[in-house]
Amino acid sequence: MIPKFLLLLLPLLLLSCQESPKDATTSTATQLVFEPEFKGLSAFLNYQEKVNARQDLKRMPSLFFTHKSGYTLKSEALLDSNGEILKASLEQIDTLGHKIQYTFYFLKEVLSMVEVVKSNMRSSTLRNDITFVFYNANQSPIASYAREVINGKQVPFRAIKSDKQTNNNIDNALQMLSQMQNQEGAFTLRFQGFDEAFNKKFIQFGNDDYSTNLAYAPNDTAVLAIEKNPNAFKQQAYSIQFQDVQEASGLQYQVLTAIQ
């Protein structure tokens, strides 16, 4: 059962999808093959395709986080013009290059389906292990499928038994996504210090488990206040506003825009 915590997301992340699978039109563009199919599968896939095709959704990225053990996390939510979440993702990469990405689709305030992709970014063999889990209106799994894609070779998804560990991992990922977006719980932010890299100055926020670094302007008044008396700011929890930056060189980082 998916926990009810999703209802606690920030106002922009209130869950309410205006479309239902029965309204989705059948498209021949869907290339995924599931064997055996369950009743209503095509409606789920058509809805997924409609959401993926939308260009008007607002992207709400999270901060980039690093766990004390070295793995990294980031997430994002995609919202329509009414602030309703239709899709969200969570990506984790460990120090060995193992990557796992969860992609969630929401329908009428509940989780509709999840795609889980596992890969090894350092492996010479291009292999993805992909799992799909579909949910009913009570947010209970009704069908699960899996397949391996090796060096681009496409094979059908095969039905598998619902796996308790996979379902627990999905629940945990969904909770992490909620907390990352809200900067709360495991991702509560406290000032931790300053650093320099790539000829830029960074300020670090986080807690005992997770941290995030943001570049800042030298004349940022909030940062200047912290620099004058850093110890006075280490116990307070903060809400951070930021922007993603990608330079022509490929360097990616986040820039602090406001501290609350």
Side-chain angles (χ1 to χ4, degrees):
M1 179 70 68
I2 302 300
K4 298 295 186 181
F5 69 87
L6 279 175
L7 299 178
L8 302 178
L9 289 173
L10 291 172
L12 282 177
L13 298 181
L14 290 176
L15 306 179
S16 178
C17 185
Q18 294 181 343
E19 297 182 274
S20 63
K22 66 180 181 180
D23 297 325
T25 57
T26 301
S27 171
T28 57
T30 300
Q31 299 298 318
L32 300 181
V33 177
F34 292 80
E35 298 178 352
E37 295 188 5
F38 66 90
K39 185 178 180 180
L41 172 64
S42 61
F44 282 92
L45 299 181
N46 289 335
Y47 178 70
Q48 177 198 31
E49 188 177 1
K50 283 185 76 173
V51 172
N52 289 344
R54 291 186 61 168
Q55 301 296 316
D56 61 323
L57 300 180
K58 181 179 180 180
R59 176 176 174 265
M60 297 285 291
S62 74
L63 290 162
F64 301 152
F65 287 96
T66 301
H67 188 261
K68 61 184 179 182
S69 66
Y71 71 79
T72 60
L73 282 171
K74 66 178 181 179
S75 69
E76 72 172 20
L78 297 177
L79 316 177
D80 67 11
S81 59
N82 296 317
E84 298 169 347
I85 184 170
L86 303 186
K87 180 180 177 181
S89 64
L90 174 71
E91 178 185 283
Q92 176 179 318
I93 303 176
D94 70 16
T95 55
L96 299 177
H98 297 114
K99 175 180 175 181
I100 180 168
Q101 179 160 331
Y102 297 86
T103 304
F104 307 92
Y105 295 86
F106 300 95
L107 179 65
K108 290 188 178 297
E109 301 187 355
V110 297
L111 184 65
S112 173
M113 58 189 292
V114 179
E115 180 184 19
V116 185
V117 180
K118 297 180 180 180
S119 59
N120 187 344
M121 300 170 64
R122 299 182 185 176
S123 174
S124 59
T125 301
L126 300 178
R127 170 177 170 173
N128 292 330
D129 295 314
I130 308 173
T131 302
F132 268 98
V133 182
F134 300 88
Y135 297 83
N136 62 19
N138 295 321
Q139 296 193 308
S140 297
I142 56 174
S144 299
Y145 293 83
R147 75 171 179 178
E148 296 177 354
V149 178
I150 300 177
N151 292 328
K153 182 179 179 181
Q154 300 292 318
V155 296
F157 282 91
R158 303 293 184 183
I160 60 174
K161 291 184 178 180
S162 180
D163 178 81
K164 183 177 181 180
Q165 184 61 53
T166 298
N167 293 331
N168 286 340
N169 289 343
I170 290 172
D171 288 356
N172 292 336
L174 202 51
Q175 184 171 20
M176 291 178 73
L177 186 148
S178 172
Q179 293 180 354
M180 290 174 71
Q181 291 287 329
N182 287 310
Q183 300 176 12
E184 64 182 17
F187 300 93
T188 297
L189 301 175
R190 292 182 173 83
F191 166 68
Q192 293 185 315
F194 294 96
D195 199 0
E196 292 189 28
F198 310 108
N199 297 318
K200 303 181 190 310
K201 292 185 176 182
F202 292 85
I203 184 170
Q204 179 172 301
F205 293 90
N207 51 60
D208 291 340
D209 293 317
Y210 294 97
S211 62
T212 185
N213 291 279
L214 300 104
Y216 64 91
N219 59 349
D220 188 302
T221 55
V223 175
L224 290 174
I226 295 175
E227 285 181 325
K228 289 181 179 179
N229 188 9
N231 289 331
F233 291 88
K234 288 189 174 182
Q235 298 303 314
Q236 182 176 345
Y238 294 93
S239 175
I240 303 300
Q241 296 180 28
F242 59 94
Q243 289 183 345
D244 288 349
V245 173
Q246 179 166 350
E247 297 185 349
S249 63
L251 179 64
Q252 293 182 331
Y253 55 95
Q254 294 178 313
V255 175
L256 177 70
T257 58
I259 304 175
Q260 296 178 345

